[in-house]
């Protein structure tokens, strides 16, 4: 505590590293491999592909339940499109539910004056102000995909016996842009010929200091241009801190974690606070690991005692959830939410039907060359069955798979419950 009685602000330090030596320990085990999704899950939307999804949370990170309703937000795009075209048309829509299992479609979450389309984010509801803070990525159109973390403040929630409506006008602000030193700019990444990311703001309130932060996906400039050089693989988990109470102004802070020499993309980073520990989760792809390393499309995680701490990879290498080997792209974009001593993990059905081995080795890159109907056939584009994850110090274990759409941690009405215990 400082003299004024408030807790001192977080002091930053240099990012910890997810090293090559650590990532060399990535292993698929029973505890880290999700069950095969045997049937297509029923879509929660008749008209849209659905992928990255996040719940409306209170400032303290708990899930909002308002007059019995829960609300989630998803990236969506018309299912007339081939799956690969959806990224350039992504719009955030909301869905609401009483049981966390059956979802009704609400509509577009907010008018979006910034950017050509929107990518992932997070959503916080301030109970006192009765307004939503929509964190999202304002993205310019293909092929540039310039990404700017943004915030839309001001939506209110109206509930009735039949449903939920989000109303009101929002003020939109850009939260920040890469500075070229801590965070690689689009221009630097072009020179280096390497992917660029500055996206996926995920809000959290620091559990001790009460400060408002976001973590996001970015890259550290390393100057390396050669795709054969591991140094070109430079993913990081960036941080911004709000500098006013209205949350309209933010400062860039050093990343909490870097994967220099290890992996190029640490997508949708987010924290879970459990047992006094900081669990940092992120999703990543097989194709973004640096030369000489191998890891599946999966959920990766790290644990530390503090925000700018020493992050130990979970399960030694960092792998927390992988798809089963016979369907390595069946799900993606896992999001971990605290649930009691455990966690609940939500994701979407990706290229479920794509199977490296039995479908004549169709790779993800090759999907785009198939006739449109076949591409759609291979893609899920809806919520995948949620998983229950046990967190125990530096180890995790997938302990159950839930029925379709069982999505939000809830205090009781858990729907049909586990389909399969392990
Ligand atoms: C993860 C992701 C996010 C991004 C979105 C774009 O699935 O790549 O990082 O916001 O999808 O569609």
């Amino acid at each position: 505590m400082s003299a004024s009685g408030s807790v001192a602000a977080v002091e930053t330090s240099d990012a910890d590293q997810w090293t090559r030596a650590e990532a060399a320990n990535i292993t698929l085990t029973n505890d880290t491999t999700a069950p095969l999704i045997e049937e297509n899950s029923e879509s929660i939307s008749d008209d849209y592909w659905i992928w990255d999804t996040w719940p409306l949370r209170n400032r303290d990170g708990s899930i909002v339940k308002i007059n019995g309703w829960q609300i989630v937000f998803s990236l969506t795009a018309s299912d007339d499109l081939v799956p690969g075209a959806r990224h350039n048309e992504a719009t955030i829509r909301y869905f609401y539910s009483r049981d966390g299992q059956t979802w009704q479609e609400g509509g577009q979450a907010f008018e979006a004056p910034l950017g050509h389309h929107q990518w992932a984010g997070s959503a916080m509801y301030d109970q006192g102000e009765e307004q939503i803070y929509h964190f999202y990525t304002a993205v310019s159109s293909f092929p540039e995909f310039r990404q700017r973390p943004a915030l839309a403040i001001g939506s209110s929630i109206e509930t009735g016996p039949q449903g939920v409506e989000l109303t009101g006008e929002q003020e939109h602000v850009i939260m920040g842009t890469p500075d070229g030193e801590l965070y690689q700019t689009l221009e630097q990444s072009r020179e280096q010929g390497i992917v660029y990311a500055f996206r996926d703001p995920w809000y959290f309130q620091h559990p001790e200091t009460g400060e408002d932060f976001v973590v996001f996906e970015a890259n550290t400039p390393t100057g390396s241009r050669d795709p054969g050089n591991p140094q070109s693989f430079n993913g990081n988990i960036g941080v911004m801190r709000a500098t006013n109470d209205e949350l309209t102004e933010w400062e860039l802070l050093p990343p909490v974690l870097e994967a220099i020499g290890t992996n190029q993309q640490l997508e949708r980073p987010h924290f879970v606070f459990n047992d006094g520990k900081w669990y940092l989760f992120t999703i990543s792809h097989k194709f973004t690991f640096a030369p000489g390393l191998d890891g599946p499309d999966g959920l990766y995680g790290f644990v530390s005692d503090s925000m700018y701490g020493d992050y130990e990879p979970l399960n030694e290498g960092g792998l927390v959830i992988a798809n089963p080997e016979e369907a390595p792209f069946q799900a993606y974009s896992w999001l971990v939410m605290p649930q009691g001593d455990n966690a609940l993990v939500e994701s979407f059905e990706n290229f479920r039907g794509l199977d490296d081995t039995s479908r004549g080795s169709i790779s993800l890159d090759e999907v785009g060359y198939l006739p449109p109907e076949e591409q759609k056939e291979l893609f899920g584009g809806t919520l995948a069955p949620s998983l229950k994850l046990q967190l125990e110090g530096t180890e995790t274990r997938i302990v159950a798979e839930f029925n379709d759409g069982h999505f939000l941690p809830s205090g009781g009405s858990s729907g049909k419950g586990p389909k399969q215990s392990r």
Side-chain angles (χ1 to χ4, degrees), residues 120 149 258 361 402:
E258 290 178 325
S361 295
F402 291 92

Side-chain angles (χ1 to χ4, degrees), residues 78-334:
S78 164
D79 62 12
D80 291 339
L81 295 167
V82 292
R86 74 187 195 280
H87 301 286
N88 194 44
E89 303 296 332
T91 302
I92 300 172
R93 288 191 156 73
Y94 68 99
F95 298 83
Y96 50 85
S97 172
R98 280 200 179 279
D99 61 5
Q101 201 163 28
T102 346
W103 295 92
Q104 282 170 267
E105 200 172 315
Q108 207 173 320
F110 50 85
E111 289 297 321
L114 302 174
H116 170 265
H117 58 273
Q118 305 99 48
W119 283 355
S122 54
M124 182 268 279
Y125 184 61
D126 187 295
Q127 299 266 2
E129 299 166 4
E130 298 189 339
Q131 62 176 353
I132 300 180
Y133 292 77
H134 285 290
F135 296 84
Y136 66 101
T137 313
V139 188
S140 72
S141 64
F142 175 83
E144 187 183 62
F145 286 152
R146 184 181 296 276
Q147 300 153 31
R148 296 179 301 166
L151 175 56
I153 309 171
S155 307
S156 356
I157 307 173
E158 284 178 22
T159 60
Q162 301 307 321
V164 171
E165 202 183 342
L166 302 189
T167 57
E169 301 214 331
Q170 307 85 30
E171 176 191 2
H172 289 254
V173 295
I174 295 293
M175 300 172 67
T177 52
D179 61 345
E181 288 183 17
L182 293 170
Y183 299 104
Q184 188 172 48
T185 63
L186 174 63
E187 288 67 27
Q188 284 172 321
S189 71
R190 275 208 192 114
E191 281 166 26
Q192 294 179 208
I194 280 294
V195 294
Y196 144 87
F198 200 74
R199 63 171 181 262
D200 303 351
W202 187 87
Y203 171 85
F204 70 100
Q205 185 179 43
H206 192 291
E208 284 133 37
T209 69
E211 295 166 287
D212 300 289
F213 285 98
V214 296
V215 276
F216 58 93
E217 173 194 353
N219 298 92
T220 302
T222 60
S224 170
R225 289 155 199 267
D226 169 9
N229 179 353
Q231 286 293 304
S232 308
F233 291 70
N234 58 353
N236 74 35
I237 295 181
V239 180
M240 279 187 237
R241 172 163 56 190
T243 55
N244 67 356
D245 289 344
E246 295 72 39
L247 307 192
T248 52
E249 286 170 20
W250 295 78
E251 60 177 343
L252 280 181
L253 299 180
V256 281
L257 187 74
E258 290 178 325
I260 297 173
T262 302
N263 195 310
Q264 219 173 62
Q265 289 200 323
L266 305 180
E267 304 192 288
R268 294 194 73 198
H270 54 283
F271 280 113
V272 167
F273 306 115
N274 181 287
D275 204 13
K277 301 247 184 284
W278 290 64
Y279 284 86
L280 177 56
F281 294 99
T282 184
I283 52 174
S284 198
H285 291 290
K286 186 177 175 70
F287 79 91
T288 58
F289 276 95
L293 291 174
D294 192 23
D297 274 36
L299 173 75
Y300 292 83
F302 308 84
V303 61
S304 167
D305 290 334
S306 62
M307 186 171 157
Y308 280 95
D310 179 12
Y311 282 92
E312 194 166 332
L314 295 171
N315 310 316
E316 296 193 13
L319 181 64
V320 175
I321 295 178
N323 292 314
E325 268 167 314
E326 62 269 41
F329 304 105
Q330 75 170 12
Y332 192 61
S333 220
W334 295 266

Side-chain angles (χ1 to χ4, degrees), residues 25-40:
N25 293 325
I26 291 170
T27 23
L28 271 78
T29 64
N30 242 352
D31 293 340
T32 57
T33 306
L36 183 70
I37 301 173
E38 281 167 26
E39 287 163 39
N40 256 334

